Amino acid sequence: MLKPKSRWIVKKSDQTIIDSLAKDLNINHLTASLLVNRGLDTVEDARYFLFGQKSEFHDPFLLKDMDKAVERINKAIETQEPILVFGDYDADGVSSTTVLMKALAELGANADYYIPNRFTEGYGPNEKAFRSAADSGVGLIITVDTGISALHEATVAKDLGVDLIITDHHEPGPVLPDAFAIIHPKLDDSVYPFKDLAGVGVAFKVAHALLGRVPEHLLEFAAIGTIADLVPLLGENRLIALRGIEQLKSSQTPGLNALLKLAKTDRSAIDEETIGFMIGPRINAAGRLGSADPAVQLMMTQDRDEAMMLAEEIDSINKERQNIVSQIAEEAVAEVEMYYPIKDNSVLVVGKEGWNAGVIGIVASKLVEKYYRPTIVLSFDKEKGLAKGSARSIAGFDLFKNLSTCRDILPHFGGHPMAAGMTLDLNDVDTLRSSLNALAKEQLKEEDLIPVSHIDARIDVKEITIETINELGMLSPYGVSNSKPKVLIDGANISTLRKIGADQSHLKLALEEKGTVIDGIGFGFGHLHDHISPSSKLSVIGELSINEWNNIKKPQIFLRDVAVKSWQLFDFRGLKRLEKLPDMIPGSNIKWILFNPDLKNKFSPIIGDSLELVSTDEKAEQIEFDQSYVVLLDLPPSKDILEKLFAGKNPGRIYVHFYKENSDFFTTMPTREHFKWFYAFLAKKEPFDLKRYGGELAKHKGWTKETVEFMSQVFFELDFVKINNGFISLEKDVPKRDLTESKTYQHKVQAFTLENELLYSSYEQLKSWFDQFIQESVKNEEAIIQWI
């Protein structure tokens, strides 16, 4: 068996609905099932999702306070009243700032932007910045991607005589700021049809309302913030992403072009991953390590030389960010292992002085990936007595809701069910940890702390074609709530299996079902090579793609997880160097079985104290193993003892070496004709000096001397002959007896047969023999795959 690293949950859909969608939309059944899994189970919804790129955006004035906000902004534009756009330092905040600034510039507004410094000012609006803006003559502040929690700052703005318009998408608290206007799709009394806009999506709606038309030219910025902020890519977000990606392919924005050039991006291949893994992290990097201003300047500039200079600066910052993340993540893992082990903590809360507050959110994500626990990573400032943190969660634990129960110790916090940021007193960190762990104990079951892989469909290899994969592309761009389709190939034959890469860290394989083969590649899966027997049935989950090489296109699957549901047999019968055995068998739950006590001195120096001597049937029955790796070091004395060892038990794997010092298989096994000739020979030549002439007789007949001695011993045990000082002669008047009555003969036949069946049989024959006695557990399959 090979256990997967996650729980596999396969979605089940109504086949009738799938058939109907496939027929009405002229799509294949796999695409139809994926649509149904995403809740798009009507022809109208599915058609809009697949072909709705030219659909209209919702009326921005459906957002509460939009008319009021637009009127106030227009008034400021007419009077040239200074406007301040107050943004956030992440990719969503930067793109939100850019979208609104560009819209205001088109309308001739006297506008500037301000993004707080993560380290000196923290998250969101702050009193000092507001007072400074008022002192400089600003009469209108518009927040983008922030502000919904700024209760105090809203009061300050009112006292200063500054009108505050809040545009945000983060979870609103029980009390809203006393602002001039709040534009937010999730307000309780909001009638806006789509609730899940990113911050830049809300800013885009404001720009739409101000300009009186859909600002198509701003879609590329809106797409960056929408994808980078990990909001659900459905509804209007999907429309923004789709059309924004298309615009990005032919972008005329110098800053974006400079970034794409540095990332060596093929324009025609730009997709959501280009934004998520190339553009987004670089834009985020500026605000994580310092000021986010260079990122906004990069988006805003029309000068190509300045754009390239800014892009190179941001790229350099991103590389520095990667090094810092790596170092902090290593230290955070050490904190968990030493002080907060996962067996005692369902929620991880770790912190340290000196950790860069700008990257702790990334570190939190890495810890969630490693331990699959809701995680808060804190940066301690002992001079101020404060801890600043970022949190990431797992399914089933709503961070915003649970952190809300700790408001008494969280003067500043905000976020979503899956991510949040906060500031708290250093003395309250232990209280926060205890409170969240108590909440998690109530809300999370043991299985909730095992990573989950949601699988869209179980498919056969023959279903995977280039045409099918091309059609699946209609579901992109992928993201939250519209994840890249993950499929299950269950119990396929392994056609090829090998490690690849300079450091052999990747796995290349081919799976076969009924003559159809598909290639698979698993990056970072090379270590699994030694855990998979080539003759096993392999189950894999992954994402389908098309591999093109030398103008030849072939379907392939990118592996995300693999499993072998039944026990596996590994054949080491030809291994000559015994000392290599321990290194060839991975894992710690190993049972080293030795049958022959005489070989203990041979194997003990190699295996050590964990060697189990199984020399009797009783001992074989007593040995327990459940999913253990059982290593059979030497050849057993009989198959019976093997049956006793494995009957009704459930090993995970069996490794067979079957060492035997002297093989019986390759010595002559005399036939009855051999015995008949030898008996006649003795009748003529008795007494025969076995010691002196046994070798010559063997040479004459083409036998071995051991064969002559063996037949002599059989005759002796059957009372056919007597042996005296090496001379052998016949006994007189002996009744007929069968050769099989001789113990020596029985042992020889048994040893010969045993070697034939165990040591020299084919892999398939040996596997089949073990299968007769091993009790396969259905629980294995149930543990690997769940159907919902």
Side-chain angles (χ1 to χ4, degrees):
M1 185 179 184
L2 173 63
K3 291 184 179 179
K5 61 185 179 184
S6 61
R7 285 182 289 144
W8 296 2
I9 299 180
V10 185
K11 299 171 187 173
K12 287 198 298 186
S13 303
D14 190 316
Q15 194 59 46
T16 305
I17 298 176
I18 293 172
D19 292 341
S20 175
L21 286 186
K23 180 181 178 182
D24 292 344
L25 296 175
N26 193 27
I27 56 178
N28 66 59
H29 279 73
L30 178 56
T31 305
S33 69
L34 296 177
L35 290 168
V36 174
N37 287 345
R38 285 154 173 71
L40 304 163
D41 52 6
T42 68
V43 173
E44 293 72 22
D45 287 346
R47 182 178 283 116
Y48 177 82
F49 185 85
L50 292 177
F51 311 111
Q53 292 92 325
K54 295 184 180 179
S55 301
E56 295 300 318
F57 286 95
H58 298 307
D59 182 350
F61 288 97
L62 291 174
L63 284 159
K64 184 184 178 183
D65 282 357
M66 183 66 84
D67 51 350
K68 187 178 178 182
V70 168
E71 183 180 352
R72 179 66 182 86
I73 295 169
N74 280 330
K75 181 182 176 183
I77 293 172
E78 288 170 13
T79 61
Q80 285 296 287
E81 179 184 17
I83 301 171
L84 182 68
V85 176
F86 195 104
D88 188 24
Y89 35 64
D90 66 0
D92 190 14
V94 166
S95 54
S96 300
T97 303
T98 303
V99 163
L100 193 53
M101 283 295 296
K102 283 182 175 286
L104 291 171
E106 283 184 49
L107 295 169
N110 177 16
D112 201 355
Y113 68 89
Y114 184 88
I115 296 179
N117 185 287
R118 183 191 293 262
F119 302 97
T120 59
E121 298 172 82
Y123 171 78
N126 64 83
E127 181 176 341
K128 184 180 178 181
F130 276 22
R131 289 189 181 279
S132 176
D135 290 344
S136 65
V138 170
L140 175 62
I141 296 177
I142 309 170
T143 72
V144 288
D145 189 36
T146 188
I148 197 61
S149 299
L151 303 181
H152 172 69
E153 290 76 14
T155 302
V156 169
K158 199 166 190 177
D159 292 344
L160 292 170
V162 175
D163 286 334
L164 175 65
I165 297 174
I166 293 173
T167 78
D168 200 355
H169 74 120
H170 294 93
E171 295 293 327
V175 180
L176 298 177
D178 184 12
F180 179 85
I182 298 177
I183 300 172
H184 194 303
K186 288 185 179 178
L187 296 180
D188 288 341
D189 52 354
S190 174
V191 297
Y192 195 71
F194 187 70
K195 308 295 184 186
D196 293 319
L197 289 169
V200 72
V202 181
F204 185 79
K205 303 309 294 188
V206 175
H208 183 175
L210 284 171
L211 296 171
R213 69 183 191 281
V214 175
E216 301 278 350
H217 58 300
L218 301 179
L219 277 168
E220 59 186 359
F221 306 106
I224 290 171
T226 296
I227 292 171
D229 209 51
L230 301 179
V231 291
L233 283 192
L234 300 172
E236 209 163 22
N237 285 342
R238 176 173 167 79
L239 193 56
I240 289 171
L242 269 169
R243 290 166 67 172
I245 287 171
E246 284 307 306
Q247 189 179 104
L248 197 56
K249 291 178 180 179
S250 56
S251 176
Q252 298 302 307
T253 302
L256 292 179
N257 287 337
L259 271 185
L260 292 169
K261 183 176 180 181
L262 276 178
K264 298 178 180 177
T265 303
D266 176 4
R267 286 299 187 98
S268 64
I270 289 175
D271 59 12
E272 69 279 3
E273 292 188 353
T274 308
I275 293 173
F277 297 107
M278 295 182 182
I279 297 176
R282 286 174 168 85
I283 294 173
N284 272 323
R288 289 190 184 280
L289 298 191
S291 169
D293 287 355
V296 180
Q297 293 167 18
L298 178 71
M299 298 278 206
M300 298 285 291
T301 185
Q302 293 301 309
D303 185 292
R304 291 186 179 182
D305 292 335
E306 182 186 23
M308 184 52 70
M309 179 189 70
L310 287 166
E312 288 173 348
E313 178 186 349
I314 287 173
D315 189 60
S316 175
I317 293 172
N318 187 51
K319 289 174 182 174
E320 182 185 354
R321 186 269 306 167
Q322 290 171 330
N323 291 332
I324 293 172
V325 166
S326 179
Q327 180 184 341
I328 296 177
E330 189 176 323
E331 293 178 13
V333 167
E335 287 282 306
V336 172
E337 301 291 341
M338 188 173 295
Y339 302 113
Y340 312 108
I342 59 172
K343 65 182 178 64
D344 302 323
N345 290 269
S346 296
V347 178
L348 299 176
V349 180
V350 295
K352 199 172 184 180
E353 188 175 16
W355 283 357
N356 189 305
V359 301
I360 51 180
I362 303 173
V363 176
S365 295
K366 287 184 176 294
L367 292 187
V368 171
E369 183 179 343
K370 180 176 179 63
Y371 296 111
Y372 202 68
R373 298 287 191 280
T375 300
I376 298 177
V377 178
L378 298 161
S379 175
F380 295 162
D381 185 336
K382 292 190 176 178
E383 287 187 12
K384 295 180 179 179
L386 295 175
K388 186 174 183 180
S390 281
R392 299 293 184 269
S393 196
I394 63 174
F397 193 79
D398 186 322
L399 263 180
F400 186 82
K401 178 181 175 183
N402 283 291
L403 286 170
S404 294
T405 67
C406 306
R407 285 181 182 275
D408 56 323
I409 61 171
L410 295 175
H412 299 287
F413 93 94
H416 311 287
M418 297 299 287
M422 72 214 67
T423 302
L424 69 157
D425 192 288
L426 271 177
N427 295 321
D428 292 328
V429 171
D430 288 340
T431 303
L432 179 65
R433 182 184 295 110
S434 299
S435 300
L436 291 178
N437 268 291
L439 290 166
K441 191 174 182 180
E442 296 172 4
Q443 299 169 31
L444 297 174
K445 301 186 290 292
E446 188 175 343
E447 67 176 24
D448 293 329
L449 299 175
I450 301 172
V452 173
S453 293
H454 290 285
I455 302 164
D456 290 279
R458 179 196 182 282
I459 59 174
D460 295 327
V461 173
K462 65 181 179 183
E463 296 179 70
I464 305 171
T465 64
I466 290 176
E467 293 71 28
T468 298
I469 297 172
N470 281 331
E471 188 174 285
L472 289 180
M474 296 168 65
L475 274 68
S476 67
Y478 302 115
V480 176
S481 298
N482 180 36
S483 56
K484 204 165 190 178
K486 197 178 268 103
V487 299
L488 162 68
I489 300 174
D490 192 22
N493 295 315
I494 301 171
S495 179
T496 60
L497 180 73
R498 57 192 174 94
K499 297 179 188 179
I500 60 170
D503 56 356
Q504 300 284 281
S505 62
H506 311 307
L507 190 67
K508 177 79 173 173
L509 54 77
L511 300 176
E512 182 270 334
E513 282 182 352
K514 298 178 181 177
T516 305
V517 177
I518 183 171
D519 291 334
I521 181 76
F523 293 109
F525 280 51
H527 66 283
L528 293 179
H529 179 273
D530 296 335
H531 291 264
I532 302 170
S533 172
S535 296
S536 295
K537 299 280 189 180
L538 191 66
S539 297
V540 305
I541 60 172
E543 296 147 4
L544 300 176
S545 68
I546 296 173
N547 180 30
E548 186 169 356
W549 178 256
N550 288 338
N551 295 321
I552 298 174
K553 293 182 178 181
K554 292 173 63 178
Q556 70 176 358
I557 183 168
F558 283 111
L559 305 178
R560 298 303 176 201
D561 207 354
V562 302
V564 178
K565 293 185 292 189
S566 64
W567 77 276
Q568 297 188 84
L569 176 65
F570 291 82
D571 191 353
F572 289 170
R573 288 177 292 181
L575 183 67
K576 299 295 184 186
R577 298 181 61 183
L578 302 182
E579 69 276 8
K580 284 190 170 185
L581 266 175
D583 294 331
M584 297 176 70
I585 300 172
S588 56
N589 185 18
I590 303 174
K591 296 281 188 181
W592 300 92
I593 305 297
L594 184 71
F595 296 102
N596 186 349
D598 295 338
L599 294 176
K600 188 173 181 180
N601 291 337
K602 187 176 192 70
F603 282 98
S604 288
I606 299 170
I607 309 304
D609 296 336
S610 55
L611 197 65
E612 298 246 22
L613 186 59
V614 180
S615 55
T616 65
D617 288 357
E618 291 73 25
K619 178 64 175 174
E621 290 174 341
Q622 291 168 9
I623 297 286
E624 293 292 336
F625 42 78
D626 184 31
Q627 296 305 309
S628 302
Y629 299 174
V630 183
V631 187
L632 304 177
L633 293 168
D634 62 333
L635 199 67
S638 69
K639 287 170 69 174
D640 288 343
I641 200 169
L642 273 186
E643 292 176 20
K644 294 282 192 307
L645 184 63
F646 289 106
K649 299 176 187 177
N650 189 27
R653 303 177 192 173
I654 298 176
Y655 293 81
V656 293
H657 180 50
F658 288 154
Y659 175 82
K660 194 170 189 302
E661 286 188 323
N662 297 306
S663 172
D664 289 287
F665 188 76
F666 292 105
T667 60
T668 303
M669 181 63 192
T671 66
R672 291 184 180 277
E673 291 301 317
H674 289 141
F675 279 100
K676 186 178 178 182
W677 185 92
F678 187 43
Y679 189 86
F681 172 81
L682 291 176
K684 292 180 184 177
K685 301 291 186 179
E686 66 171 327
F688 178 67
D689 190 344
L690 195 59
K691 289 181 179 180
R692 185 174 181 182
Y693 298 111
E696 290 184 18
L697 173 65
K699 187 176 180 181
H700 171 72
K701 294 294 293 181
W703 299 337
T704 62
K705 186 178 179 182
E706 288 75 17
T707 300
V708 175
E709 291 172 349
F710 164 70
M711 289 192 291
S712 300
Q713 183 62 27
V714 170
F715 283 161
F716 178 75
E717 289 177 5
L718 295 175
D719 297 324
F720 290 172
V721 300
K722 57 185 176 183
I723 302 175
N724 188 15
N725 292 326
F727 285 87
I728 182 170
S729 56
L730 299 183
E731 292 280 12
K732 307 300 180 185
D733 302 321
V734 178
K736 287 186 177 181
R737 297 178 66 184
D738 195 271
L739 295 173
T740 57
E741 295 181 51
S742 162
K743 293 291 185 185
T744 298
Y745 187 85
Q746 292 173 14
H747 178 78
K748 180 78 170 179
V749 170
Q750 185 182 45
F752 187 88
T753 305
L754 193 67
E755 286 191 42
N756 184 37
E757 293 184 354
L758 297 184
L759 198 53
Y760 300 110
S761 58
S762 68
Y763 177 95
E764 290 74 18
Q765 290 170 329
L766 190 60
K767 176 75 163 56
S768 177
W769 185 85
F770 275 113
D771 274 333
Q772 297 175 56
F773 302 99
I774 292 176
Q775 179 65 45
E776 293 276 14
S777 173
V778 232
K779 292 180 182 176
N780 291 345
E781 183 170 353
E782 292 171 355
I784 291 173
I785 302 175
Q786 299 175 39
W787 300 84
I788 60 169

